[in-house]
Amino acid sequence: MEAQNKTANSHPLECIYEEIGNFAVIGLTGRTGSGCSTAAEILSSPSLDLPDVSHSHYVGNESRKFRIVRSYIEKNWTPFYYLRVRSVITRYILTLDFDELVTNLSNILKIEYSEIEKSLITFKEEYDKAHDRIEKYLALKEDTKEKIKIKKEDAYEIYFEWLPDFSNKLRDRLQSISQIAYTKFYQAVGDNIRSSGTPSSKEFDSTKIFELASTINKVIKSAHHVARHKGEPCHIVIDAIRNPFEAVYLSERYADFYLFSINTSNDNRLAHLRTSHKFSEQQIIDLDRKEYPDRLFGDQKFVSQNIQKCIEISDIHINNPRTDQYGHSELRSQLAWYVSLILHPGLITPTATERCMQLASSAKLNSGCISRQVGAVVTDRSYSVKAIGWNDSPQGQVPCLLRSAEDLINGSDEVAYSTYEKNNDKFRDALLGKYGQHKCSKILNGRNLSFCFKDLKNEVDGEKNQVHTRSLHAEENAFLQITKYGGQKISGGILFTTASPCELCSKKAYQLGITEIVYIDPYPGIANDHTLATGNNSPKLTLFRGAIGKSYHKLYTPIMPFKDELETLLDLKKNPDKKDNKINYLEQENSRLKDKVTRLEGIIKNKRQKTSSA
């Protein structure tokens, strides 16, 4: 019946969408306890098991969009291959023999060698076998096409089937040493691999920054090879990417790579860590410091986990509420929404919150701050935009990105610098000490020698004072634009920000009568628990969910106008002949009635058989 329904022009259209949907890679990022593994398990399931539209969290036109998504994804769903980054790290761990493993654990966990050996000795035989298997795999030559093919197929079996199970066994053994041992060990080994290319050395080698990402890339290619051999689409989900440069590496190599950040409220995340992971309060503090470092220095900027930056550069943001009664129905529904758009761009239009956050995301690129770019949008309750802002110096002052320590030292471009900067001896001594030797450095390779006034001033004073920043925050800049250009009512409105609102901006939002703050970065600050969690008119805090940046354009731009797509798919004529139209209708009606008669005859036959049996 389906073959009969295909038209002459539907086949090339199907070929286009098969090409678009044939290959896709989703990388998941997010803080431990946010739900990355849950999202990966959902994406690798045979069915998304979506809720009925009436039982979904979508309302109004968004529910109509979800109905379209649900219908499309149920017809076109293909489970994702599930690649666990911990499996890749386990592969590196298995290059160590048992004695080297115990030594490495002792060094990282700060526990005596003998204690660790005692905990793992019954696991030694199985570990040794696994070590031998990895050694044999790594020794395989790739000097002929046939050997390359064999190694790719071996890699697929190792990374997608064998290593996940072995990693679970190793995790259980490590947790018998201490509850935090597994997490701490794998985090340290991941950093070591990025530093040196090995699991046991911290020595920094800049050529190894992409070592882990490069191996992930090879595993993706092995899955692609196997999928082509099976004649099926290759959709891969990677859990979890925690270093931003690894996300950039994969993004540069695959046009169809999307970084999904899985976010949840901090209260939900902490509750999950305490109940499911059994982490103590100190272990949670240590975990947060590792995943969300205040500041990274030197080679740590390249090799350490930095979830905040990963979230900041994510293509799609998913909110995992952990509170629904339909088995992660909100999480499933959001994943279905964006996978359907990956397979069929332009299937539906963006949500109102996506539209506004996309404006904020674009606005942040205007920021001349050299630390972090942030954008903000203020709307009324109907999502009508009233103001746009970004973090930058006040109008008339020169942004930090355009200022140069070399100019300040040499007395050039005087209008760009304050009286304090030009005349304060202590400040100038600090400036010369830090930047003087780099004025003509070849390492700059044409880059501007910009500097952060706040950081330098705090170094001079020996403080950590945020008041010295030259830039207005994006949110306050948006608020001030309204006053500056005539004023519009925003009481009852919504603030969109690409970061988390700080204490100062939160107070201003509260004073202006903002009823909701939609934000991306789920970092737990005092603004959430203190500034906004008091009084009678506290704004509602909402984690953003949606696509922004280049993915916004890619996912929501149709391949062709939908009217043309339907006309092509269904072979609709502009001015169909009335007679032909009537004949087509009667033929379809005749086919429908024949099917109905067949079903009724079957029912009557079953009833007669039951009657005769009785």
Side-chain angles (χ1 to χ4, degrees):
M1 193 71 181
E2 284 186 10
Q4 293 175 356
N5 288 337
K6 288 184 178 180
T7 65
N9 292 322
S10 67
H11 183 257
L13 189 64
E14 288 176 353
C15 288
I16 290 172
Y17 281 110
E18 282 176 9
E19 183 65 26
I20 291 170
N22 191 50
F23 179 79
V25 181
I26 291 176
L28 301 179
T29 191
R31 307 178 76 183
T32 300
S34 293
C36 286
S37 296
T38 302
E41 288 166 3
I42 291 170
L43 288 170
S44 58
S45 300
S47 169
L48 281 177
D49 193 21
L50 296 173
D52 186 77
V53 176
S54 61
H55 292 154
S56 74
H57 66 283
Y58 295 107
V59 296
N61 279 344
E62 308 311 330
S63 69
R64 294 178 177 89
K65 293 176 187 178
F66 179 64
R67 184 183 64 217
I68 293 170
V69 164
R70 189 177 188 274
S71 175
Y72 183 84
I73 207 69
E74 286 180 348
K75 294 287 186 182
N76 296 277
W77 176 249
T78 301
F80 280 64
Y81 295 111
Y82 185 178
L83 174 59
R84 298 161 177 84
V85 172
R86 68 171 181 172
S87 295
V88 182
I89 293 175
T90 301
R91 193 282 276 172
Y92 281 89
I93 292 171
L94 284 169
T95 61
L96 305 172
D97 62 30
F98 185 76
D99 178 65
E100 291 169 331
L101 170 71
V102 176
T103 300
N104 208 22
L105 278 165
S106 177
N107 293 335
I108 290 170
L109 301 179
K110 308 300 180 188
I111 299 175
E112 289 293 330
Y113 179 99
S114 57
E115 288 186 36
I116 293 175
E117 184 182 37
K118 184 179 179 181
S119 298
L120 298 182
I121 194 64
T122 57
F123 188 57
K124 183 179 185 302
E125 183 178 351
E126 186 169 1
Y127 182 86
D128 287 342
K129 288 180 181 178
H131 168 71
D132 291 342
R133 180 172 185 179
I134 288 298
E135 290 289 288
K136 288 177 183 177
Y137 162 73
L138 294 175
L140 287 173
K141 302 292 184 183
E142 296 181 75
D143 48 9
T144 66
K145 286 185 178 180
E146 183 60 26
K147 288 181 179 178
I148 292 172
K149 175 177 173 291
I150 290 170
K151 189 157 187 179
K152 283 182 177 179
E153 290 170 356
D154 203 16
Y156 176 83
E157 195 275 331
I158 284 173
Y159 285 101
F160 289 95
E161 296 175 7
W162 174 62
L163 275 175
D165 181 58
F166 182 82
S167 297
N168 287 339
K169 293 177 181 178
L170 181 56
R171 177 198 60 198
D172 293 342
R173 292 290 179 153
L174 293 177
Q175 287 179 335
S176 70
I177 299 171
S178 74
Q179 190 63 37
I180 199 69
Y182 162 74
T183 302
K184 191 172 182 179
F185 181 58
Y186 269 71
Q187 286 177 338
V189 169
D191 288 357
N192 288 346
I193 294 168
R194 298 183 195 103
S195 287
S196 66
T198 70
S200 56
S201 174
K202 294 181 180 179
E203 187 173 346
F204 183 63
D205 178 351
S206 60
T207 65
K208 300 298 182 180
I209 292 171
F210 296 119
E211 173 72 20
L212 200 56
S214 176
T215 301
I216 291 170
N217 184 37
K218 290 176 183 176
V219 178
I220 290 172
K221 289 179 178 179
S222 75
H224 201 185
H225 168 81
V226 170
R228 281 201 306 268
H229 182 71
K230 292 180 179 178
E232 62 185 26
C234 181
H235 298 160
I236 302 170
V237 57
I238 305 170
D239 172 30
I241 292 175
R242 300 179 183 276
N243 178 282
F245 296 105
E246 287 163 1
V248 170
Y249 180 95
L250 294 172
S251 180
E252 289 297 314
R253 277 152 185 78
Y254 298 104
D256 296 304
F257 173 81
Y258 299 87
L259 186 62
F260 282 43
S261 69
I262 310 298
N263 304 315
T264 191
S265 72
N266 199 48
D267 288 343
N268 280 339
R269 186 183 71 89
L270 293 176
H272 184 70
L273 291 176
R274 289 166 184 148
T275 56
S276 298
H277 292 265
K278 308 297 183 186
F279 282 3
S280 68
E281 297 307 308
Q282 186 57 50
Q283 288 170 341
I284 291 173
I285 290 171
D286 292 341
L287 178 69
D288 286 352
R289 284 175 180 164
K290 178 64 180 173
E291 294 185 344
Y292 244 68
D294 287 336
R295 194 163 182 184
L296 295 169
F297 297 93
D299 57 64
Q300 290 303 303
K301 291 182 178 180
F302 302 101
V303 305
S304 290
Q305 293 188 13
N306 190 344
I307 305 264
Q308 184 178 34
K309 186 63 179 178
C310 288
I311 292 172
E312 185 181 331
I313 65 173
S314 290
D315 300 296
I316 295 163
H317 300 269
I318 303 292
N319 183 1
N320 177 22
R322 292 190 181 280
T323 55
D324 61 82
Q325 57 182 343
Y326 301 108
H328 303 293
S329 70
E330 284 194 42
L331 181 58
R332 291 175 182 276
S333 299
Q334 291 172 81
L335 293 171
W337 185 291
Y338 295 104
V339 171
S340 68
L341 286 166
I342 290 172
L343 301 180
H344 192 299
L347 184 68
I348 52 175
T349 55
T351 65
T353 55
E354 282 179 306
R355 182 178 69 244
C356 295
M357 192 61 84
Q358 175 69 0
L359 289 173
S361 178
S362 297
K364 77 177 186 178
L365 302 179
N366 293 289
S367 169
C369 178
I370 63 174
S371 295
R372 189 183 186 192
Q373 294 178 312
V374 180
V377 165
V378 179
T379 74
D380 63 18
R381 196 65 227 173
S382 300
Y383 302 99
S384 176
V385 176
K386 301 302 177 186
I388 297 176
W390 52 89
N391 60 319
D392 210 347
S393 55
Q395 189 174 12
Q397 295 186 11
V398 180
C400 293
L401 185 65
L402 306 183
R403 304 197 323 155
S404 166
E406 184 174 357
D407 285 347
L408 179 55
I409 291 169
N410 295 337
S412 305
D413 194 11
E414 289 195 20
V415 73
Y417 308 97
S418 68
T419 300
Y420 174 87
E421 290 172 304
K422 289 185 285 189
N423 296 297
N424 186 278
D425 291 337
K426 287 180 66 177
F427 181 85
R428 291 190 67 82
D429 286 344
L431 182 77
L432 278 166
K434 191 167 188 175
Y435 297 101
Q437 61 182 323
H438 301 298
K439 284 196 302 177
C440 301
S441 175
K442 292 181 180 179
I443 295 175
L444 285 171
N445 196 27
R447 296 175 178 86
N448 188 39
L449 191 58
S450 304
F451 67 97
C452 177
F453 172 81
K454 179 194 71 177
D455 286 355
L456 199 55
K457 170 64 173 168
N458 282 334
E459 286 177 24
V460 171
D461 296 341
E463 297 177 352
K464 291 184 178 181
N465 199 326
Q466 295 297 315
V467 77
H468 296 313
T469 179
R470 296 182 66 246
S471 291
L472 295 162
H473 285 196
E475 300 91 333
E476 66 177 332
N477 198 359
F479 295 149
L480 289 170
Q481 296 304 318
I482 296 172
T483 303
K484 185 175 181 180
Y485 295 111
Q488 298 183 62
K489 177 184 176 183
I490 60 170
S491 178
I494 306 169
L495 169 65
F496 294 84
T497 173
T498 61
S500 284
C502 72
E503 289 80 3
L504 294 173
C505 291
S506 296
K507 283 189 285 188
K508 289 166 185 159
Y510 205 128
Q511 173 66 8
L512 288 167
I514 294 293
T515 57
E516 184 177 6
I517 298 175
V518 182
Y519 64 104
I520 288 178
D521 185 358
Y523 182 77
I526 193 174
N528 295 7
D529 296 333
H530 175 62
T531 313
L532 297 174
T534 184
N536 299 319
N537 301 305
S538 180
K540 174 188 174 185
L541 287 165
T542 302
L543 267 172
F544 172 70
R545 55 181 74 183
I548 56 172
K550 64 181 182 180
S551 67
Y552 177 93
H553 294 284
K554 188 171 182 180
L555 296 179
Y556 287 114
T557 301
I559 300 302
M560 66 168 65
F562 199 63
K563 183 180 76 171
D564 293 350
E565 183 174 324
L566 290 179
E567 287 177 351
T568 303
L569 191 67
L570 302 175
D571 199 20
L572 298 175
K573 298 177 181 178
K574 263 191 174 181
N575 296 301
D577 184 88
K578 289 184 179 179
K579 184 177 179 181
D580 289 345
N581 202 16
K582 190 169 184 179
I583 290 171
N584 288 336
Y585 171 76
L586 291 172
E587 285 177 347
Q588 291 175 13
E589 185 66 12
N590 186 43
S591 176
R592 186 183 67 81
L593 290 171
K594 282 182 179 179
D595 290 342
K596 189 173 182 180
V597 168
T598 302
R599 286 197 303 272
L600 289 172
E601 286 176 346
I603 292 170
I604 292 168
K605 185 178 179 181
N606 287 335
K607 285 184 177 179
R608 285 175 177 169
Q609 289 175 346
K610 288 179 180 179
T611 303
S612 62
S613 298

